[in-house]
Amino acid sequence: MTEPFQGRVQQIAVKPDALVIGCALPAGSATPTIYELPPYETEIGAAISTFATPEGKAGDGEITFSLPRFDGARDRLYARWVVAGADGPLPGPCYATKLNDIAAADYPYPTAPTIKGLQVRMVDDAIKLGVGHAALNLNIGTIMRPGPAETTIPYAMDGATYHFDGEYMARFDARVKELSDHGIVVTLILLNSPKWERVAVHPELKTALMHPNYDPEGFISAFNVITPVGLAHYKAFVEFVAERYTRPDQRYGCACGYIIGNEVDSGWVWCNAGEKPVEDYVLEYAIAVRTAFYAARKKYAQARIYLSLDHLWTIAHMENPLRTYKSRDVIELLAEQARAEGDYDWALAFHPYPEDLNRAAFWHDETALGDFDTPRITFRNIELLPAYMRQPHLLYDGQLRHIILSEQGFNSLETEESEWVQAAAYAFAYWRIEQAAGIESFILHAHVDNRDEFGLNLGIWRRDKDNETDPSAPGSPKPIYEIFRDIDGPRREEALRWARSVVGEAYWH
C-alpha cells in the first residue's frame, strides 16, 4: 500500500534581494503559512511575521514562496523558517540551504605547500621557519566597544551601528597582514573571554556578550546567541571580522577560516554556558556555528567555519555530565541537527594532544585505541579522525569536510632528555598525520613556553625567565626548533631518521 504523499520543505535559497522557499505539497492542499523566527526560538507563537501568498506554482504539488530578503535594514539570511500547513509544520530544512551569489567576494581559498603550522607569537620567526599555517586568537570583548569614540571603527548591521577598537585592530591587522603577505594561511580562533590579554570586557557590554548562564569558574564563556541583544552583537562581530579579512585587496591581511570557541566539548572550562545536558548545549553551540557560517559566507563565498574539539573522544573531562561532554557526541548531535534543519559546510578543528599533557611520548598512550569507540584520539591513533568523518552521514555534498589540527603540542620538563623527546614527538606526529589523508594542517601550540600555562612547556622556544612582565617572552630555542624548521625541507629524512631512533622501531608505525 502506498504511503500518502506528505508535504515537505525542499530548499531555502537566499539571493541578493530575495529569500525563496520551495515546498512539495499534496495536490489540492491549502496554501501554507510561513513563519519567521529568530534562531533561539522554536515555538511558532513567537513568530516575527507571517506570509501566506505564494509567488507562483510550478506544476501540481510544487509551490514556491519568494520573500524580500531584507526587512528594512534587517537581513533575513539568519532567520529560522517554519512552513505550516493544516496539520502543522512541514518537515525539511528551516534554515537557508543555498546561498546564491550573495557574497561580497569570491576567490580560491588560500592554500600552502605544507601542513606545518604554528600558533604564532613572533611573525618574523614564523616566516623564517617556513610556516604554512597560523592560528591567531581574537576575543570579542577585547575589540567591541559600547559606543563611538575617537579611535573606534563603526560597523553598520541590521539598522544598528556597532563599534570596534581601532587601535587594537590596527595592531592585529599588522600581524595578519605580515603572515598572509608571506603566503601563510591564517585561521582566526574567535573567543568570548571575560578578560583577554589583560583587558576585561567593557562593563556596558557584559550582558550582551557573556552567555546568560556563564559561570566564572570557566576561563571562557560560550557566545551569547540566545538573547536578541547577544545574537545581534555576535553577528556584528563575525561580519566585521570576516569583511575585514576577506577583502580581495587584502588591505588588512587575509584570514578566511574561523574557529568558533575553544574545545567546546570541555565546555565548563573553555566554552562555559552553565550546567546543561549535552543536547541543550549543542543546540546553542549550533546556533553560533551556523550564524558564523552565514555571516562569513555573506562576505566571502569560500569562508570556512570550524567546530573546536579536544582529544576526549568517548570520555569527558569531568564526571558531571552537565559540565563537559564527549567530542564524538558533540559531532554527532551537531551533524544530526544540521541535517534536520538544512545541512551546511561546517568544518572541524581538532586538538589531538597526548593522553597526558605533561608527557610528550604519545606512542605510549594507553587510551588511544584503534577503533571508533576509543576513549581518546591522540597522535597515536590520529588516522581514526578522518576515517570517522568519512562516514556517509558526516560528509557534506558527498565530500569529506575540512579537517585541521588547530592546537596541540608537546611538553618538555626543563631537562635535556625531555626536550629531545619533545622534538622526536613532533617529528613522529608530523609523519603520522601525513599518513592520515584528509588532515589539511598541523598547527603547533606553542611558539614560546608560557609560565601561565598550567606548568606546561609546549613552546619551540624556552621563555625568558628573567622577564617577569611577559609570561611568554622568548629566551632560547629548544631542540624541537630545528626539527620543526627541517620537517618539510631538504633535511626532512634526516630529521625523521633521528626521531625514529628516539621513538624506537617498535612504535614507529
Side-chain angles (χ1 to χ4, degrees):
M1 185 173 177
T2 305
E3 290 292 323
F5 179 74
Q6 300 295 317
R8 181 174 180 82
V9 178
Q10 295 173 307
Q11 178 176 277
I12 301 177
V14 179
K15 300 179 178 180
D17 297 315
L19 186 140
V20 181
I21 302 176
C23 304
L25 297 172
S29 296
T31 301
T33 302
I34 300 178
Y35 296 83
E36 179 190 356
L37 288 74
Y40 46 80
E41 293 285 358
T42 57
E43 297 297 325
I44 288 180
I48 295 173
S49 54
T50 62
F51 303 86
T53 305
E55 182 181 65
K57 234 171 182 178
D60 190 28
E62 296 181 10
I63 191 166
T64 299
F65 296 86
S66 182
L67 317 171
R69 176 176 160 187
F70 293 92
D71 175 21
R74 182 177 64 85
D75 193 347
R76 290 187 168 120
L77 165 65
Y78 300 98
R80 187 173 185 273
W81 301 91
V82 175
V83 181
D87 298 325
L90 272 60
C94 55
Y95 285 101
T97 55
K98 192 172 183 180
L99 307 181
N100 294 337
D101 301 321
I102 70 165
D106 189 5
Y107 48 83
Y109 197 90
T111 59
T114 177
I115 64 169
K116 182 168 71 179
L118 186 63
Q119 289 197 350
V120 175
R121 175 182 169 86
M122 301 171 289
V123 174
D124 56 344
D125 188 53
I127 294 167
K128 183 169 65 175
L129 286 165
V131 166
H133 303 265
L136 302 176
N137 295 305
L138 187 60
N139 189 58
I140 184 172
T142 307
I143 69 171
M144 285 198 102
R145 295 292 172 264
E150 185 178 347
T151 60
T152 55
I153 303 170
Y155 182 77
M157 187 201 72
D158 286 357
T161 302
Y162 301 84
H163 304 274
F164 297 87
D165 187 322
E167 293 180 346
Y168 184 93
M169 292 310 301
R171 295 192 298 271
F172 195 79
D173 294 345
R175 297 187 70 203
V176 174
K177 186 162 179 58
E178 188 173 5
L179 289 166
S180 60
D181 281 357
H182 282 85
I184 296 173
V185 179
V186 180
T187 300
L188 302 184
I189 305 165
L190 305 185
L191 300 172
N192 187 21
S193 176
K195 189 174 185 180
W196 194 259
E197 295 182 331
R198 307 185 183 189
V199 177
V201 61
H202 196 285
E204 293 180 33
L205 287 175
K206 277 188 176 180
T207 300
L209 300 189
M210 295 294 104
H211 191 283
N213 305 127
Y214 170 65
D215 188 304
E217 188 175 312
F219 291 107
I220 300 175
S221 168
F223 287 107
N224 177 11
V225 294
I226 61 171
T227 69
V229 67
L231 184 62
H233 280 75
Y234 176 70
K235 286 193 299 183
F237 168 58
V238 182
E239 280 199 20
F240 170 77
V241 171
E243 180 176 300
R244 194 169 188 85
Y245 296 121
T246 63
R247 294 167 53 125
D249 64 6
Q250 298 189 17
R251 177 179 176 181
Y252 305 109
C254 180
C256 300
Y258 312 98
I259 299 171
I260 306 305
N262 180 61
E263 296 187 349
V264 301
D265 50 321
S266 295
W268 186 261
V269 182
W270 298 115
C271 196
N272 189 295
E275 290 190 348
K276 49 177 56 77
V278 62
E279 293 83 3
D280 294 346
Y281 180 83
V282 173
L283 185 70
E284 292 182 3
Y285 181 62
I287 295 173
V289 175
R290 186 185 287 273
T291 298
F293 180 80
Y294 292 149
R297 287 286 173 103
K298 179 177 175 180
K299 306 301 179 180
Y300 169 53
Q302 310 301 326
R304 295 178 188 171
I305 298 297
Y306 296 90
L307 323 185
S308 175
L309 300 171
D310 64 28
H311 65 176
L312 299 170
W313 189 247
T314 60
I315 58 177
H317 181 61
M318 296 179 176
E319 291 185 5
N320 186 340
L322 302 179
R323 290 191 170 191
T324 62
Y325 317 104
K326 304 165 185 176
S327 60
R328 186 175 71 174
D329 287 353
V330 173
I331 290 173
E332 289 292 347
L333 286 167
L334 189 138
E336 179 183 6
Q337 186 176 345
R339 290 192 300 272
E341 297 183 333
D343 204 5
Y344 60 103
D345 192 13
W346 55 266
L348 178 60
F350 200 77
H351 300 172
Y353 277 102
E355 173 183 275
D356 181 348
L357 269 63
N358 291 284
R359 186 181 67 175
F362 64 84
W363 46 96
H364 296 304
D365 288 352
E366 296 179 357
T367 59
L369 307 180
D371 59 65
F372 288 161
D373 293 324
T374 178
R376 286 179 174 86
I377 291 182
T378 75
F379 294 110
R380 184 177 185 183
N381 60 349
I382 191 62
E383 68 279 358
L384 290 180
L385 185 62
Y388 191 86
M389 295 302 294
R390 283 194 179 91
Q391 295 179 95
H393 72 288
L394 293 174
L395 301 176
Y396 179 71
D397 199 21
Q399 301 296 316
L400 178 67
R401 295 177 186 272
H402 297 287
I403 302 172
I404 64 173
L405 307 182
S406 58
E407 183 209 310
Q408 49 280 306
F410 307 95
N411 186 48
S412 64
L413 302 172
E414 298 187 0
T415 67
E416 183 177 0
E417 180 183 0
S418 70
E419 289 186 351
W420 287 115
V421 172
Q422 179 194 41
Y426 174 75
F428 187 24
Y430 195 99
W431 181 83
R432 294 213 83 252
I433 291 164
E434 289 180 316
Q435 315 311 305
I439 296 174
E440 298 172 358
S441 64
F442 171 21
I443 301 174
L444 188 69
H445 176 73
H447 205 155
V448 183
D449 289 344
N450 188 334
R451 72 160 184 265
D452 294 339
E453 195 159 39
F454 310 106
L456 298 172
N457 298 311
L458 302 174
I460 62 175
W461 284 75
R462 304 177 188 91
R463 70 175 180 87
D464 181 2
K465 295 182 180 180
D466 294 329
N467 189 330
E468 292 302 319
T469 61
D470 186 342
S472 60
S476 57
K478 295 192 268 183
I480 189 177
Y481 184 93
E482 292 187 8
I483 298 297
F484 184 93
R485 180 195 64 201
D486 296 340
I487 195 65
D488 56 353
R491 301 182 64 183
R492 165 190 167 83
E493 293 306 318
E494 178 184 341
L496 290 176
R497 279 195 302 272
W498 172 81
R500 193 166 188 153
S501 71
V502 175
V503 171
E505 289 291 335
Y507 297 103
W508 194 279
H509 57 81

